Amino acid sequence: MSRVRRLTIALVASLSAATLATRPASAATRFDPALRFRVLKTPHFRIYFHQNAGRLATRLAAIAEETWLALRQPLGVRPPLLTHVVLADQTELANGYATPLPYDTVVIYPTVPPGSEFDTDDWLRLAFTHEFTHIVHLDRSESWARIVRRVFGRTSIAFPNLFLPTWQIEGLATYQESVMTGEGRLHAGDFQAIVEEAARHRTLEPLDRVNGGLTDWPAGQAPYAYGSRFHEYLADRFGVETLAALADRTARRVPYLAPGAFSAVFGESLNELWRDFQAALVAEVGDPMFDAGATRLTRQGFVVAAPRFDGVGIIYAAQTPDGFPGLNQIPANGGAPATIATRYYGSTTAVGAKTIFFDQLEVRRNVAVSGDLYALSRQTGRVKQLTSGARVHDPDLSPDGATLVAVQERAGARDLVLISGLEQRTPRIATLVAEADTQFNAPRWSPDGRHVAVERHRLGVAPEIVIVDVATRDIRIVAAAERTRMVTPAWRPDGRAIVAAVAPEDRPFNVFELDLEDPPTLRQLTHSSGGATWPEVSPDGKTLVFVGYTPDGQDLFSLPYPTDAPEMSIGPGSPASQAVTPANGRVVALAEAELAAAPSYSPLPTLRPTSWSPLVTWDSTQVRVGAAVAGIDVLGYHAYAASATWLAASPSAAALLTSNRTPDWSISYAYDRWRPTLVLAASTATSFFAGPATEAGTPSTATDQQRQVLAGVIVPFVHARASHAAALEFFRGTDDYTFADRTLTSNRAAIRGAWETTTARTYGYSISPEDGIAIGATAELVRASLGASADATTATADARAYLPGFARHHVLAARAGFGVSSGDSTVGRTFLLGGAFSNPAVADFGSSAISLLRGFPAASFAGSHVALVNLEYRLPLARPQRGVGAWPLLLHTVHAAAFADAGHAWTRDFDIRAVKTSFGAELSANIVAGFYYPFTLSAGVAQRHDGAGTIPDGAAAYFRVGKSF
């Protein structure tokens, strides 16, 4: 649930002056600009909440204070005295995250997950317990780290637990969420099946694959599933107090050297403990169990959901790391799946004679994730959006084909709704049932169209199956029992029974039949050790299709509908009482009293910098040392950064041309409250061998001291399938060139703009962007009327296409770039060409924006014009996804490419005979470092040819960090 490292990356990016000053950026906004936040104070927390979330905020305030008290002992340290908690209802995905940087912050999304996804009676309490465990665990600085923290402030190096493996961070929080609430994933049989089925099949993951970065199933679930069970094993074997001792020991260790703490606390190495843990699991779980006669219909693994018979075959939702999530179809007896529509999340499908209705998510206002309904024509295959921003999910079509039943999200609840007028431009949405603190999920029409069976999840009550009379809106509970989850109902075709997934106590789900006769009876239809959910009965009532779990993930299975299953002792009963008032009544009363007077959000209390850091920068010509400081408010509206560096080393000849006493410095500010991000930046920078282009087309030997001021606006447009960004900036710069025999000053003042569009996508198993394009363009108008020394106009264009190759994840990548600078050369741009360095951006105002020419030294050529073509065929070689023990490196994928480059930089006339070309091959490795940070290392050999003869022909080897383009 926590995304500690992801947030840390976002913070660094948002505070980077270079990112703000040089190119359009993706949205860094954290929270939906439509939300208006206020602040509720408690003794140890600041709760930030928005309109329509006041009731949730008061409940969260009480939960937070209770959790603060409860966590004083388990981790052996008093929790921080102040934590910022943001309650943001801006996504349909249940989640949250926590970070100790730059201050202790928890973000909770109050969307309650369906009962089929999480074992909890109170999502707000469970999510906060998990995330606040992160805060208490990570906000620790012992021994040397305490000294670093006192000197430098809240810098990442002062928090050693931030550098633990992902399974250790998430495993501890998942363990605590379960122990402290009595719910959570350690009590969910479906979640435990991830580890237990692997143990039954002798396919348990080694330690190095659950550290972080795994794409194979169980992918991102691995750190949670294995980490929580490992912590449970340690607590059971050595005592729960040893977890606190471990957290203390790791908070004293040098980053990434935490494994030694296990020997100190447990007397065994981490590798020995992991082997003992897995051996104990294998001995505990026994053999796998599945129903005789069951047929596996798909072999995709990962995530599938909600099968529906459609008269031709079976339609279902699927998500795998091989491609974009989709709405898939297979024959009724199984076979190769065909994708009939792409689908960004979503699960259920409503099948009509002419139309298939389904839900999916879309990104709105760059950060909000909202669900809507879509219609797929069975004749044309076209998809039409039915609703916009309605936050509706889980559609099912009435027998007469006129009305959809669905659920609609709102803060703290999910209502049952009817949607009619499906052929109209704007369908009508009417609420059928709405209850406070209640979520409905996966509704299904009865065969006669008079009733709806639906999962109901009330606060403090396990999920139950109810039937709603559509005419009278009466609700009848047909299946409920304490500590038993009942989810994903479907009707038997005769309407006399419902089949649903039922998980008693801590066991996995299996499919049960709920007979609706009076008195009702319950019969178990499947008996899988891995579990079974999302049942569907064929129209003739003879076949049961369901989602079953294997060590590969989820897949579709079928089974002849059991007719002789015995009645079970577990049956419908009275649900647990709905008494969920937190024990800390004083905090509740205080929060409710202060709610009306809660002030509007002010960024000032969290804007001061909380740390400073030493800074070392270098390139091929110099080394600089200095310091940097940055700040950002808790909602991310305001961000600033400042740095200064002094020259420590430079080429001896160049050193004579400048003083090392004058620092390079930069300062930047961004206002990111709305969709446009407003940017201000100023800097000075020193470059060597960076003078204007010579007649020979190479950079002249000069030292350039550049002063820049920038003001601009960046407007991102982020969607699920494409992203766009526009930038408009006013730029003023002065270049002081120092030659051996003279000086030259050039003033530039310009208005410049940029646009970029990306539809190419990268999936879990991708080695490169696939299936799309990335295009960008920039324009810069330097004018004397704005204060420049002269007039000049510069424009660039960069277009990239990523096409399918001869096999899965093979990619043919093609790129063409062009740049031209006209007018006075002293204020125009000099383009640099040559080198193997990455060109990641398609809209870049830098001199090296279009420079990738492998086999030649970096910046070998220069001119006021540049043209470049790159062509690559990329193919995967191996996907080991292996590391070494708990070391922070995982070799994810090895891949190769054959390439051809052709380019030229010129100032006066283009001479095709002077074009530079290279061709060759490179070998690359995708690596995950620090348990979370992915990057690419490439080494290659290129055969070069310079048509102008400036650089001799020959072969050259190179090394690069990052993808080529």
Side-chain angles (χ1 to χ4, degrees), residues 110-114 121 123 407 409-416 435-441 454-459 464:
T111 300
V112 178
D121 295 343
W123 166 251
V407 298
E409 198 79 39
R410 60 185 173 92
R414 193 175 300 120
D415 301 336
L416 191 63
E435 299 176 350
D437 300 319
T438 299
Q439 283 74 33
F440 292 95
N441 298 293
V454 63
E455 172 200 327
R456 183 174 68 172
H457 194 174
R458 293 181 289 169
L459 184 61
E464 56 197 2

Side-chain angles (χ1 to χ4, degrees), residues 69-77 172 176 180 240-241 243-245:
L69 292 171
L71 275 174
R72 284 183 301 178
Q73 296 299 324
L75 298 182
V77 66
L172 178 62
Q176 288 297 142
M180 294 182 64
V240 69
E241 67 279 357
L243 300 184

Side-chain angles (χ1 to χ4, degrees), residues 248-393:
D248 178 77
R249 284 276 183 172
T250 55
R252 302 170 184 272
R253 305 284 295 188
V254 174
Y256 301 122
L257 296 182
F262 285 85
S263 296
V265 174
F266 302 107
E268 296 182 33
S269 70
L270 174 57
N271 287 330
E272 290 172 331
L273 289 168
W274 193 265
R275 287 194 296 269
D276 293 345
F277 155 65
Q278 293 200 336
L281 270 175
V282 171
E284 173 188 334
V285 298
D287 296 325
M289 181 174 63
F290 211 72
D291 293 277
T295 300
R296 187 170 179 174
L297 301 179
T298 65
R299 294 189 177 273
Q300 292 173 273
F302 293 89
V303 179
V304 303
R308 298 287 186 269
F309 287 93
D310 72 336
V312 177
I314 301 171
I315 292 177
Y316 62 100
Q319 299 175 41
T320 77
D322 281 315
F324 200 85
L327 186 62
N328 286 7
Q329 184 180 53
I330 59 169
N333 59 353
T339 300
I340 59 176
T342 59
R343 181 182 196 175
Y344 186 62
Y345 288 94
S347 54
T348 70
T349 306
V351 179
K354 297 181 179 180
T355 307
I356 297 172
F357 301 93
F358 63 94
D359 58 342
Q360 66 175 327
L361 302 183
E362 182 55 273
V363 180
R364 303 189 184 281
R365 298 179 295 278
N366 296 326
V367 291
V369 181
S370 176
D372 276 299
L373 300 186
Y374 294 76
L376 168 66
S377 170
R378 303 185 71 167
Q379 293 179 331
T380 65
R382 295 180 179 177
V383 175
K384 179 180 71 172
Q385 186 171 343
L386 288 183
T387 64
S388 179
R391 303 190 72 180
V392 288
H393 312 275

Side-chain angles (χ1 to χ4, degrees), residues 62-146:
I63 290 170
E65 288 296 336
E66 287 183 337
T67 307
W68 192 93
L69 292 171
L71 275 174
R72 284 183 301 178
Q73 296 299 324
L75 298 182
V77 66
R78 186 175 71 168
L81 293 178
L82 178 63
T83 300
H84 303 273
V85 183
V86 183
L87 185 66
D89 184 26
Q90 63 179 25
T91 177
E92 316 297 83
L93 302 174
N95 211 332
Y97 60 84
T99 178
L101 300 176
Y103 23 68
D104 292 317
T105 305
V106 168
V107 175
I108 299 292
Y109 303 130
T111 300
V112 178
S116 58
E117 295 182 4
F118 243 92
D119 178 16
T120 177
D121 295 343
D122 187 347
W123 166 251
L124 210 57
R125 182 180 296 277
L126 185 83
F128 183 81
T129 301
H130 182 105
E131 303 304 342
F132 192 58
T133 297
H134 284 315
I135 295 298
V136 180
H137 182 213
L138 301 177
D139 185 21
R140 300 189 67 163
S141 305
E142 306 294 345
S143 183
W144 65 271
R146 184 173 297 179

Side-chain angles (χ1 to χ4, degrees), residues 879-935:
R879 194 184 300 128
Q881 299 176 84
R882 293 303 306 265
V884 179
W887 287 98
L889 283 176
L890 178 106
L891 176 59
H892 189 281
T893 307
V894 179
H895 50 101
F899 66 84
D901 300 334
H904 188 34
W906 71 99
T907 297
R908 295 184 178 176
D909 297 324
F910 175 80
D911 183 357
I912 194 170
R913 295 171 299 177
V915 169
K916 297 87 171 88
T917 60
S918 68
F919 63 90
E922 60 185 38
L923 184 67
S924 302
N926 289 352
I927 295 172
V928 179
F931 309 120
Y932 189 82
Y933 309 104
F935 67 97

